[in-house]
Every structure is written in structure tokens, then in C-alpha cells.
Amino acid sequence: MATVSLPWKRMLSAEEAADYCGFKTTRQFLAHARSRVPAVSFGSYKRWDRHRLDEWLDLLTVSSTLEMDDMVGKLFNDARGSTKRTPAK
């Protein structure tokens, strides 16, 4: 896939959206994003809203961060033991 420079326009073609999101191919982009970020139809053209793509990518980032926090928390709790400690009075 040819490298497409990041556009400043809001509505992106599938190729531009794939490149914007960091996918190596348009096919990968469509497989991951199609059901999550619907395209807008302009007659026979389909375009992806850059703002909706940003929202989707932000959700992926937050989701990954929360999963990592859960894993770290579980590891930390497992290392301490599974018994709950009550605060000393």
C-alpha cells in the first residue's frame, strides 16, 4: 500500500482512513473499523469521519489502559496474597 500523507480534511477515503489509523492495508482497516465506525455515503462514495475515527481510537486506548490496570492490580494482589487485610485500629 502506498503511503498516504495524513490529510487535514475531515472526511477520509478508506485508504486515507486506514493510513490515518495506522493500518498496513485497507482490508485490515475495514475488517476492524467497519462495524464500529460507519462510513458516510456521498452518492457512490463512502467516507469516514476523522472525528469518529479519533473517538474510536480513543476508546481503544482507554480500553487497553484499563485492561493493563486490571492486570497490574491482579498481579499486585496475587503477589500480596489473596487474603483481605483489615486496617489496624
Side-chain angles (χ1 to χ4, degrees):
M1 183 170 126
T3 301
V4 179
S5 61
L6 293 179
W8 289 104
K9 59 188 175 185
R10 181 167 172 176
M11 302 306 288
L12 309 176
S13 69
E15 293 81 13
E16 292 167 332
D19 192 56
Y20 181 78
C21 293
F23 288 94
K24 291 182 181 182
T25 66
T26 303
R27 176 179 265 166
Q28 287 176 334
F29 166 73
L30 292 173
H32 287 89
R34 185 179 294 175
S35 64
R36 295 167 184 90
V37 184
V40 177
S41 294
F42 293 105
S44 62
Y45 297 101
K46 289 191 176 188
R47 297 290 183 258
W48 279 263
D49 185 335
R50 188 169 45 93
H51 294 180
R52 300 296 81 79
L53 292 171
D54 287 340
E55 290 173 358
W56 175 57
L57 294 171
D58 289 344
L59 286 173
L60 291 176
T61 304
V62 169
S63 174
S64 295
T65 302
L66 291 175
E67 288 173 12
M68 182 59 73
D69 287 347
D70 286 346
M71 289 190 311
V72 169
K74 287 177 184 176
L75 288 172
F76 181 71
N77 287 334
D78 288 347
R80 287 181 29 200
S82 59
T83 58
K84 289 188 177 181
R85 298 179 188 188
T86 56
K89 292 184 178 181

